[in-house]
Structure formats: C-alpha cells, structure tokens
Amino acid sequence: MFDDFLVRAAFASVGVALAAAPLGCFVVWRRMAYFGDATAHAAILGVALALAFGLPVFWGALAVSLIMAMIVATLSGRSFATDTLLGVMAHSALAIGLLAASFLSGVRIDLMAYLFGDVLAVSRTDLAVIWGGGGLIVALLIWRWQALLTSTMNPDLARAAGIDPKREQLVLTLTLALIVAIAIKVVGVLLISALLLIPAAAARPFARTPEFMAGLAAVIGAVSALGGLSASFVMDTPTGPTIVSVAACFFVISVSLGGFLRRTANREK
Amino acid sequence: MSLVSVENLSVTLGGNKVLTNVSLTLEPGEIVTIVGPNGSGKSTLLRAILGAVEGQTGIVTHAPNLRLGYVPQKLAIDPTLPMTVGRFLGLPRKVAPALLRAALEQAGAEALEARQMVDLSGGQFQRVLLARALLNRPQLLILDEATQGLDQPGSAAFYERIANVRSDIGCSVLMVSHELHVVMAASDRVICLNGHVCCSGAPEHVASAPEYRALFGSGTQGALALYRHEHDHHHHHHEDAH
C-alpha cells in the first residue's frame, strides 16, 4: 500500500502532525515559539553540512538543531532580552545555513525542498524515520507528562515536588530537535513552527484540560495534513504551505467560534 | 528533633552575596515568619530550605522523610494553558478524589474544583495553592509572600486560615512576608533577615529590637498594636452584621 506516493505523503504528513501537536502545546504554554523557530532554522545549516560531507540529511539536521536548541536553552535562562536574542539566533541560523548551502559546488541542492518541504517525494525509509521519530517524541512526552506540566506551571512548584525543571526542559529541547529533523521533508524548515503552533492554538478555545488540548490539537493537525494534501493535489499547489494554510483556516474559525461562545455564555450569566 | 536545621548557609548569586552565615532551626508545630526588606534574601532562604540553590555553601538538614508543603509567591499561569483546579491538584501526582476534596475543604476552596485556574480571583487562587500544599499532609508548610495582591482583610483572613490549619493538622509553618503587622501578629517567632539574621524571637521582642527598628523604622510597632486593635474591631463588627 506504500507503493503509491500519495499514500506515503498522507502517512508522512499525518505522522508529523500527530507528533507535533502535543509538543506544540508545550511550545505555546511555555512561550517557546521563537525557540522553535531558531531550532528549525538551524536545521538548514545541518542539511548543508550533511550534503557537503555526504552524510544522511536526517542526522545532519538533527545534530545541528540539537546544538542550536541547547545553546538557546542555556542562553534564554539568563537575563537577556529573550525575544531579541532568539530572533537574532533564529534568523542568523537561517542566513548562515543558506550561505553554507551556496558554497556547495558540484552538489545540486534543491533549496526549496528543504525550506518548504517536498512531501510528495517521501520514500519508504523517510516514512520509517518519521513514524519512528514521531513515536519516540510522543512516548517521551507521555512518560514525562506530569513532570513537564508541573514545571511548565511553575519551576519552584516542580522543585518542591522533587522534579528538576532543567531536566524537563531538556526533554523538550530534545523532542523539538527531533521533530525538526523528521518534519523537514514534510513542511520544510520555514514552516515547522507553524505546524507546532497553529493546531495547538486552534485547540485552545475548546479545551478545559491540558490533555484535551493536546488531543484536539492532534486531530486538527491530522485533518489539516490530509485536507492540505488533497487541496494541493486538486489545486496543484506546494503541499507544505497548503497544509499550513488549512491549519490557519482552522485557527481563524476556532478563535472566532470560541469568542462567540464565550460572549453567549457571559450573556446567559 | 528539629524539622529543618540550617547551619552557616551562605548563598552567592551572580557575584552578589545574598545570604551570609544564616543559621536557624524549625521545631514541630511552630509558626515562624521571616521578615526583611526587598532583596534581603528571604525568598532565597526559602528556596535553599526547599532544595539546593546554586552558589550555596553551608548545611541544610531535613528531618528524615520530612513532608513539605509549598505555597509559592504568585503563580503566573499562561492563559494559553487550560487547567481546572481539580487537574492542577493532581500535578505532579494523581490524588484520590476523597483526599482532593478534603484538602480543598481545609483550604476553603471546596466550590472551586471545576473552575479554570485563570478565572480565579487572587484570594481564590491562594486558597487553591494552599489546598495543593496540604495534599500530602505536610509536617512543614512553607509560604512565600502568599498574600501578595490581597487586600488587608483578605490577608488577615488567609493568615487566620493558616493558623487554623496548623491547629488542625499540627504542622509547622514557615512564611515570608513584608506585611509586617499582619504576619507578626500570627507568628510564634519572627526572624528578621537582611542578608544575615539581624534578630529573632517573639514578635513583640523583634518589633522592639534596635536592629529591626533600624530596618523598618519605629512606626511599625505602632502598626502592630493598631492591627491587633483593628482585628478585634473587625470581628465585633462581623458579629453585629449577623
């Protein structure tokens, strides 16, 4: 059944969406949007380095994303203006990555595929990497769920309960680098943050518990992935941006509907 | 034996010496308040008692298997995080529903279980944090400026509740506050901190100590008396209304 490139594309995008949703919730709750950007943008440098040394792109992207995520996690704990610092890191990483890619002579590198994804070119091996990596992310998040939530609420509260907030931060740093590495093929480095943030933000107005928000975000992400894939097939548009556009539509509908419901509820009070 | 003993604790944060040679002990059942100006190291001292802080020298000893309950200063909850009070109390460990209800009741928050954390008022929020700290039947309850943002009757009611909890479950209480008059009236012992322990003892003793007056001025002793007067008056008024 994986012989058809459309079936492979569908499984690949749904796999990434399912893993990105719960992780994206933490990105939203902990205000790590720029953190996600910096990690994702650094991956392009990893891609360029991997191609230069003839290594698999997945490992190159994973390694450089991980290093970037570690640097950012260390620096943002200090008293810098964090948003400025992260903005500088995110965009510098992208620029340096593009610069490195331009030095690659002899290797024809399709930059667009790494910037915006090329899900229709997903191979069986890619699919195995995506579901293997995605499964690992979800397993890590489920394992650390309670501790992660507690340290997201308040680090001191976590410490009082014998949880080390730094270790939990490390789990998120690791999983974030991993999602970047597996999502490059599907949406590309520029739109990975979108896949993390938008389904989670769209789920927020209807959620009363963190678990429900993560679950609903996964549903919204998966539906966006399939909807975006079919829309891109029908309209002959690039798949990654189409998936993100569908998710953005869900966000607009959800926020408007959420606001409407809240106003109605307040009037009834 | 003492629940907690601190010996010659010094803490250096970012090159600044925040605490110098602080020693103290906490005995079972007592309410101890740490007072001190801003930046005097009150919160750092609490954090060092809760667990290690960076840049720490000296020894902090807990009684074996000490059960701690911690009520943090103020929790800023991101509005993007959906969280009911009941779910919050189940973090990081799930609790039995009966236990959860008992803790909410003890903290005066029994009606709040299904509410969203971000919708709570300041006073409701503090009661929920207290309920959470009571879940594992603490031997020592630690409160860090727990009444920040509450008005004076609100703070007084909260400290009265703390005193009731202490007599209910027999725990010790260690708290930090800058609301001197409110807090001192509710304490067995006061420790005046300004990087080091300036003076300590019964509230009346500390309020008249020269070191304390040098830090806070002599006006506060009058405020202590005034508070006690107001407190009586408030009660009287309350009964009239019924």
Side-chain angles (χ1 to χ4, degrees), chain A residues 23 27 32-47 60-73 76 85-94 169 172-182 184 188-190 192-193 196:
Chain A
L23 185 54
V27 173
M32 289 165 66
Y34 262 132
F35 191 110
D37 263 345
T39 309
H41 290 180
I44 202 76
L45 178 61
V47 170
L62 182 64
V64 177
S65 299
L66 197 55
I67 291 168
M68 179 59 129
M70 293 287 195
I71 293 173
V72 170
S76 60
L85 176 80
L86 286 179
V88 170
M89 300 284 280
H91 297 107
S92 311
L94 183 63
Q169 166 77 43
L172 287 181
T173 307
L174 271 170
T175 45
L176 209 54
L178 197 54
I179 193 85
V180 167
I182 68 167
I184 285 187
V189 296
L190 291 181
I192 289 170
S193 291
L196 287 167

Side-chain angles (χ1 to χ4, degrees), chain A residues 6 119-120 227-240 242-243:
Chain A
L6 265 184
V119 73
L120 297 180
L229 189 62
S230 357
S232 80
F233 192 70
V234 172
M235 303 188 298
D236 192 23
T237 49
T239 312
T242 315
I243 291 176

Side-chain angles (χ1 to χ4, degrees), chain A residues 28-29 31 145-147 149-150 152-154 156-157 159-163 166 204 207-211 213, chain B residues 47 50 54 70 72 75-84 87-88 90-94 114-116 118 132:
Chain A
V28 169
W29 297 332
R31 306 190 168 222
W145 187 258
Q146 291 279 87
L149 270 182
T150 309
T152 298
M153 298 281 300
N154 181 275
D156 283 334
L157 216 57
R159 252 176 244 123
I163 296 165
K166 284 206 176 118
R204 173 63 186 103
R208 292 186 53 81
T209 61
E211 292 75 24
M213 180 162 156
Chain B
R47 237 171 260 140
L50 278 173
E54 278 171 46
Y70 173 58
L75 265 189
I77 292 192
D78 199 287
T80 59
L81 178 57
M83 185 69 76
T84 59
R87 180 71 187 87
F88 174 62
L91 282 177
R93 276 171 280 280
K94 295 248 155 67
R115 296 276 296 277
Q116 284 286 311
V118 287
R132 190 179 182 283

Side-chain angles (χ1 to χ4, degrees), chain A residues 222-256:
Chain A
V223 172
S224 305
L226 290 176
L229 189 62
S230 357
S232 80
F233 192 70
V234 172
M235 303 188 298
D236 192 23
T237 49
T239 312
T242 315
I243 291 176
V244 173
S245 304
V246 172
C249 291
F250 275 116
F251 173 76
V252 171
I253 294 168
S254 154
V255 169
S256 327

